[in-house]
Amino acid sequence: GDSVTQMEGPVTLSEEAFLTINCTYTATGYPSLFWYVQYPGEGLQLLLKATKADDKGSNKGFEATYRKETTSFHLEKGSVQVSDSAVYFCALRSQGGKLIFGQGTELSVKP
Amino acid sequence: DSGVTQTPKHLITATGQRVTLRCSPRSGDLSVYWYQQSLDQGLQFLIQYYNGEERAKGNILERFSAQQFPDLHSELNLSSLELGDSALYFCASSVLASGGGKGTGELFFGEGSRLTVL
């Protein structure tokens, strides 16, 4: 079945450091891919998305490119801020519309 | 604010009891999805409803059931509760019915209902 694998956390970075969170997927065909973010005590919010191969999703300085050849959708940000501290989830859209999530990666940014 | 409303936000109950979690989807969304988030299992898909009908089932226990009403709100019923059922339960909604290709498949999540079973 469809699945998503994310790099394990927690990830701790200093402010202004470069961020990469790896995400790979297994699926039939080419599903839409998503990154969601969960801030402490809150629900999940869509961060960015890509619907087809080679698409780049971007939002709030975060970027991810849909790579079908490596079945990956790695999340990157050039300069993280303390306010980016959260849990990040990679997800794919599976049959029926449901999203399949990775296990989540906790990011902690220190001043 | 995603537009998805979940109640209650917090719930503490005892083993063996039954609880009902409620979800109101975004205006115009016909699909409702329930997810369970726990420390050891991550985010697990439980069940999906579309316009009142069950559309997909995931890792939902037989002790759990759900329904979607004509006004499109949904309820998740958890019975014979066990300690391991303690988790954050999320509801999400979308306009999509299935993998028909409309839109990009984004789900909008509520803030969750935190269930603690003692």
Side-chain angles (χ1 to χ4, degrees):
Chain A
D2 296 346
S3 66
V4 176
T5 302
Q6 286 180 237
M7 64 183 285
E8 292 190 12
V11 173
T12 301
L13 296 173
S14 297
E15 209 165 20
E16 299 183 1
F18 184 84
L19 168 72
T20 299
I21 300 178
N22 291 337
C23 170
T24 57
Y25 68 91
T26 301
T28 304
Y30 304 107
S32 294
L33 301 174
F34 305 84
W35 277 99
Y36 277 79
V37 58
Q38 184 179 27
Y39 297 103
E42 298 184 14
L44 280 77
Q45 304 173 26
L46 179 68
L47 181 59
L48 53 84
K49 61 190 176 191
T51 59
K52 59 184 187 297
D54 299 326
D55 265 3
K56 178 185 281 188
S58 62
N59 185 29
K60 299 181 181 179
F62 291 89
E63 291 184 341
T65 301
Y66 192 139
R67 304 279 187 205
K68 69 175 182 180
E69 62 276 8
T70 54
T71 61
S72 65
F73 193 54
H74 305 321
L75 182 68
E76 296 182 336
K77 186 174 185 181
S79 176
V80 293
Q81 305 300 312
V82 172
S83 57
D84 294 327
S85 297
V87 181
Y88 293 80
F89 292 91
C90 185
L92 66 80
R93 180 178 168 220
S94 185
Q95 278 193 325
K98 65 181 180 287
L99 296 186
I100 304 295
F101 288 89
Q103 63 268 45
T105 302
E106 182 179 359
L107 170 66
S108 177
V109 181
K110 306 297 184 185
Chain B
D1 182 3
S2 68
V4 178
T5 304
Q6 289 188 249
T7 57
K9 289 195 186 312
H10 301 276
L11 192 54
I12 302 174
T13 189
T15 54
Q17 295 299 303
R18 171 191 165 97
V19 299
T20 297
L21 309 180
R22 181 187 168 104
C23 169
S24 294
R26 289 190 324 155
S27 176
D29 284 357
L30 300 177
S31 265
V32 169
Y33 306 76
W34 286 97
Y35 285 82
Q36 178 193 58
Q37 184 180 33
S38 59
L39 284 175
D40 56 343
Q41 297 286 335
L43 264 167
Q44 296 289 314
F45 168 71
L46 296 179
I47 197 164
Q48 176 199 1
Y49 278 82
Y50 173 74
N51 204 21
E53 293 190 3
E54 182 184 303
R55 184 57 66 103
K57 252 186 180 179
N59 302 322
I60 188 166
L61 300 172
E62 284 191 10
R63 299 183 285 108
F64 296 0
S65 65
Q67 54 184 328
Q68 187 180 26
F69 295 86
D71 66 353
L72 301 178
H73 91 271
S74 178
E75 293 181 355
L76 179 66
N77 300 297
L78 316 174
S79 61
S80 303
L81 286 168
E82 301 175 359
L83 296 178
D85 297 328
S86 295
L88 196 51
Y89 291 85
F90 284 109
C91 170
S93 73
S94 79
V95 69
L96 293 173
S98 64
K102 287 185 181 178
T104 58
E106 174 183 350
L107 299 190
F108 296 86
F109 282 80
E111 294 189 352
S113 293
R114 182 170 295 283
L115 173 65
T116 302
V117 182
L118 300 176

